[in-house]
Amino acid sequence: MKNILFFLLILGSSVYQSKAQVKENYKAQIAYKIVETSPRYKQLTKGLYERIVKNGGTSYGIMLESSPNPKTDLSETYSKNYHFNLHESYADRMPIIARFVFDPQKQQLYEEDVANDKLIAIAFDKKLLPLFNRK
């Protein structure tokens, strides 16, 4: 019985922390949506899950690598911009298939052309900008 109560206490605590985290990283959440609404992201992910599973993988995902607030955004490092990677997930690796950068000062989303070391401006849902700028 004590073990069950302890488990429920830990579970409740983690749920509370995750809800608290939602408020702290509001801008990062909107930045994720900015990437996910881009036609380029949609093009890259259309049918991607099925291809990955067919090749022995499990899924794909988008990860925030760096941001202006790495502690609250749960990113690895500091950057003035929001840097994301789109990756495939396999048991032994996570290959990155695209990189995206949202510049909050220029209010622009870019796809990173790693081979040529440049950023290419891409379209996204501009209706998300007032939400991003709200806080």
Side-chain angles (χ1 to χ4, degrees), residues 11-113:
L11 180 64
S13 174
S14 65
V15 168
Y16 173 77
Q17 287 176 345
S18 67
K19 284 184 180 179
Q21 185 64 32
V22 168
K23 285 186 175 183
E24 292 175 1
N25 63 8
Y26 174 81
K27 286 189 181 273
Q29 288 181 14
I30 301 301
Y32 269 104
K33 291 199 181 305
I34 287 170
V35 172
E36 292 167 343
T37 62
S38 72
R40 179 65 176 146
Y41 176 87
K42 291 177 182 180
Q43 176 190 22
L44 289 168
T45 57
K46 184 176 182 181
L48 181 60
Y49 177 77
E50 292 79 10
R51 291 190 305 272
I52 292 169
V53 170
K54 192 174 184 178
N55 288 328
T58 57
S59 64
Y60 68 88
I62 186 166
M63 182 183 303
L64 181 59
E65 294 179 331
S66 60
S67 75
N69 301 298
K71 287 183 182 176
T72 59
D73 296 339
L74 302 177
S75 65
E76 295 176 14
T77 59
Y78 169 82
S79 171
K80 65 179 185 165
N81 300 321
Y82 293 85
H83 292 257
F84 296 90
N85 74 51
L86 173 61
H87 61 272
E88 299 177 1
S89 295
Y90 296 86
D92 60 341
R93 66 194 184 287
M94 286 179 42
I96 295 171
I97 57 176
R99 293 185 181 277
F100 298 94
V101 177
F102 177 67
D103 184 333
Q105 296 227 315
K106 294 181 181 175
Q107 303 277 286
Q108 181 60 55
L109 179 64
Y110 301 91
E111 181 174 5
E112 186 175 349
D113 179 351

